[in-house]
Amino acid sequence: MKNALDSAALNDAIEKVHRAGMPGLFAEVRDGDQVWRGAAGVADVATGRPVTADMRHRVGSITKTFTAAAVLQQVESGRIGLDTPIGRYLPKLVPGVRGDAITVRMLINHTSGLAEYLPYAYPSLKGMPVIAETGPQSLDDHRFTQFAPTELIEMGVTAPAVSAPGGAPGVYSNTNYLLLGELLAHVTGTTAEQYITRNVIERAGLRDTELPTGPYVDGPHSQLYEAWFGMIDPPRDYSVYDMSWAIPAGSLISTVADLNRFYGMLLAGEIVSLSSLAQMQHTGPVISQEGKTIDYGLGLHPMEGPGQGTFWGHGGTVWGGGALAMTRADGKRQMAVAVNMQRWNRLDSSGTPQPHPIDDALATLYRVAMYG
């Protein structure tokens, strides 16, 4: 298995993503004691300020692994049952038959059948998943909106179900993770943000990671450029944004170094027990927000190259920003990559996102980073 860190190949691969059209990106790759950090492009297209590998970044749904780990800690303590109906804990939020049918496990692995709340919270996105019938106007309208999680949960719970509870394939939905945040608050007597901060972020010794309370990213960071499939041209900066629309599902701010540290500790059984980790790695088919069927466990999903070992981690996007963090099952090879533009694929006449050179360049970077 070819796994040695090749700095020249990594430098070339990250530079090619920038040249393909990504304003800026940065990454950390680890192989045992070897560490490579790299960056290419700009953090601000107006000033030309460069990106650096130590920048703090909004990492989107990577938050879900942190939330899932917090719930698994409470399962270990006996306060939460993985296969207990959510209605026993939160009967007002998921009432009646569905509250009895949807278990905690179904929320974590996206098999609850609960709809995504975003098209209801953001009216210009109501055409989702038909991208051509959406628009970016709501992104501006809600830049400083403070949503209550229960308000968003109600939107997802009252919307038509996307599948039967426990059915396969599952359907990825942020509603599930907002409910997990309320579940954590219910059983711990504190907020989900406070519990995750104390028992996951601080437990892992992550010094540059937080669940933000305001719309700003503190410390060195990049602007975040949203293109919304060519409908925002030039792409607009959404780095200042109130993240109450996704707190336990997608609000985390972190660094590529912290992400690698977290996933390394998680896969070593240092955040949850090894038996809980085994539960997290038990996967089933889930339809992603991009409409692709992926394997998904409890806040983790696998990636595997031909003839290579399995990597575990999560990806995430926010308005304008994205990240992917993957760690090999043995914990020795790790990759975390952050990019400062999202939804760069323009639509063709039929409304289908078209391939972009960034796609191939990123795939190459991931392959070099993970497999050498």
Side-chain angles (χ1 to χ4, degrees):
M1 197 180 293
K2 183 187 175 187
N3 277 326
L5 283 186
D6 185 335
S7 295
L10 287 163
N11 289 330
D12 181 62
I14 198 169
E15 185 62 38
K16 283 180 176 174
V17 181
H18 169 55
R19 290 206 298 268
M22 179 62 63
L25 71 160
F26 46 100
E28 180 187 86
V29 180
R30 305 184 73 94
D31 193 316
D33 294 333
Q34 286 187 290
V35 182
W36 170 88
R37 296 185 183 97
V42 298
D44 188 325
V45 298
T47 67
R49 175 171 59 94
V51 286
T52 57
D54 60 348
M55 284 182 161
R56 303 179 84 232
H57 195 72
R58 298 193 190 277
V59 299
S61 286
I62 288 174
T63 313
K64 290 182 172 69
T65 311
F66 287 69
T67 300
V71 172
L72 266 294
Q73 288 176 353
Q74 290 298 299
V75 171
E76 291 171 13
S77 74
R79 295 188 184 96
I80 292 175
L82 260 185
D83 297 305
T84 300
I86 191 62
R88 293 194 195 168
Y89 302 107
L90 304 172
K92 292 182 179 178
L93 292 179
V94 193
V97 173
R98 278 211 288 181
D100 293 336
I102 295 170
T103 66
V104 173
R105 186 190 302 273
M106 292 175 197
L107 297 175
I108 311 177
N109 68 12
H110 295 294
T111 59
S112 70
L114 293 172
E116 172 64 58
Y117 60 78
L118 267 178
Y120 303 93
Y122 284 67
S124 71
L125 306 186
K126 66 181 181 293
M128 287 175 65
V130 183
I131 297 166
E133 295 179 8
T134 69
Q137 297 87 350
S138 294
L139 276 61
D140 290 313
D141 296 341
H142 287 316
R143 186 184 287 267
F144 295 107
T145 301
Q146 286 194 308
F147 288 103
T150 51
E151 169 191 10
L152 298 171
I153 289 167
E154 184 178 11
M155 294 176 187
V157 171
T158 57
V162 293
S163 64
V171 179
Y172 193 97
S173 171
N174 285 297
T175 305
N176 295 318
Y177 275 73
L178 262 59
L179 276 163
L180 293 171
E182 295 304 296
L183 173 62
L184 281 169
H186 175 74
V187 301
T188 65
T190 185
T191 66
E193 301 96 290
Q194 289 171 329
Y195 180 85
I196 294 168
T197 297
R198 283 201 306 265
N199 295 280
V200 181
I201 295 172
E202 292 178 0
R203 182 171 178 173
L206 309 182
R207 297 181 179 180
D208 294 305
T209 299
E210 66 171 329
L211 292 164
T213 55
Y216 299 95
V217 181
D218 295 328
H221 64 279
S222 174
Q223 312 308 107
L224 301 176
Y225 298 103
E226 179 60 55
W228 199 260
F229 306 100
M231 297 180 208
I232 307 177
D233 190 12
R236 190 173 303 139
D237 175 21
Y238 287 103
S239 55
V240 176
Y241 211 95
D242 188 295
M243 293 299 295
S244 58
W245 63 273
I247 288 175
S251 71
L252 197 74
I253 293 169
S254 191
T255 63
V256 288
D258 269 7
L259 291 178
N260 278 337
R261 178 178 174 86
F262 167 70
Y263 280 105
M265 292 181 70
L266 180 69
L267 266 65
E270 296 175 25
I271 306 297
V272 300
S273 69
L274 289 173
S275 61
S276 292
L277 177 64
Q279 295 275 6
M280 296 179 78
Q281 293 175 317
H282 182 73
T283 66
V286 168
I287 300 172
S288 72
Q289 288 181 315
E290 293 76 34
K292 300 175 182 176
T293 300
I294 61 172
D295 289 326
Y296 198 91
L298 302 185
L300 284 176
H301 71 81
M303 288 177 67
E304 191 168 358
Q308 303 286 349
T310 301
F311 281 68
W312 292 92
H314 214 290
T317 66
V318 295
W319 313 132
L324 177 66
M326 303 300 295
T327 292
R328 199 169 63 200
D330 64 7
K332 292 181 180 177
R333 184 83 174 199
Q334 298 188 275
M335 169 196 79
V337 179
V339 299
N340 67 2
M341 184 171 70
Q342 279 300 303
R343 285 160 283 270
W344 51 79
N345 303 84
R346 291 177 177 266
L347 306 181
D348 65 11
S349 58
S350 67
T352 303
Q354 290 302 286
H356 191 286
I358 290 174
D359 302 323
D360 287 339
L362 267 177
T364 297
L365 173 61
Y366 298 154
R367 186 170 62 250
V368 172
M370 292 165 69
Y371 308 121

